[in-house]
Amino acid sequence: MTLLITVIAAVISSAVWYFKDNENRYKVGTLTLMYWGASIMWMCDAVAEYIELRSAYFTPAMKDMINDSFLGISVVTFGLVIWLVMLIVSDPDKAIKKNVCR
């Protein structure tokens, strides 16, 4: 589930980056790279776990699936938080400078 959730986030952010962020104004490419990196990491984890468990890998317990889902959601959320902090620091629309530093 973790791999699936991060791949979905990576595909969505890639589509947004490709079609909407031509000027790299909002740094969606950085978010995309974070999600693809996490997807590669979870893919390596899945391969290692498959090597260890063989056919049992395809019949996970419900508890394990729920834990993996929460982990995947946490990874995607943490990536969004890092991206938002980057946006706040770079302030591409100068909104913070206009509204806070009057």
Side-chain angles (χ1 to χ4, degrees):
M1 289 302 290
T2 308
L3 175 61
L4 182 64
I5 291 170
T6 54
V7 167
I8 289 170
V11 168
I12 290 171
S13 65
S14 294
V16 170
W17 169 75
Y18 187 76
F19 292 112
K20 296 291 183 186
D21 197 24
N22 296 333
E23 301 168 4
N24 197 25
R25 186 174 184 181
Y26 297 111
K27 302 184 186 324
V28 179
T30 304
L31 180 67
T32 302
L33 287 175
M34 283 192 284
Y35 287 154
W36 280 116
S39 299
I40 291 169
M41 178 186 71
W42 294 123
M43 183 65 179
C44 293
D45 181 58
V47 168
E49 191 172 352
Y50 175 74
I51 290 170
E52 181 181 328
L53 299 176
R54 295 288 177 197
S55 64
Y57 176 77
F58 297 106
T59 56
M62 184 60 77
K63 177 184 170 188
D64 294 335
M65 288 180 62
I66 291 172
N67 285 339
D68 284 349
S69 297
F70 283 133
L71 183 59
I73 291 168
S74 298
V75 166
V76 170
T77 303
F78 190 60
L80 280 173
V81 168
I82 292 171
W83 178 65
L84 286 173
V85 168
M86 287 176 51
L87 275 181
I88 289 170
V89 169
S90 68
D91 196 17
D93 291 332
K94 308 295 184 230
I96 296 173
K97 186 175 183 180
K98 291 176 189 174
N99 294 321
V100 176
C101 303
R102 290 181 185 200

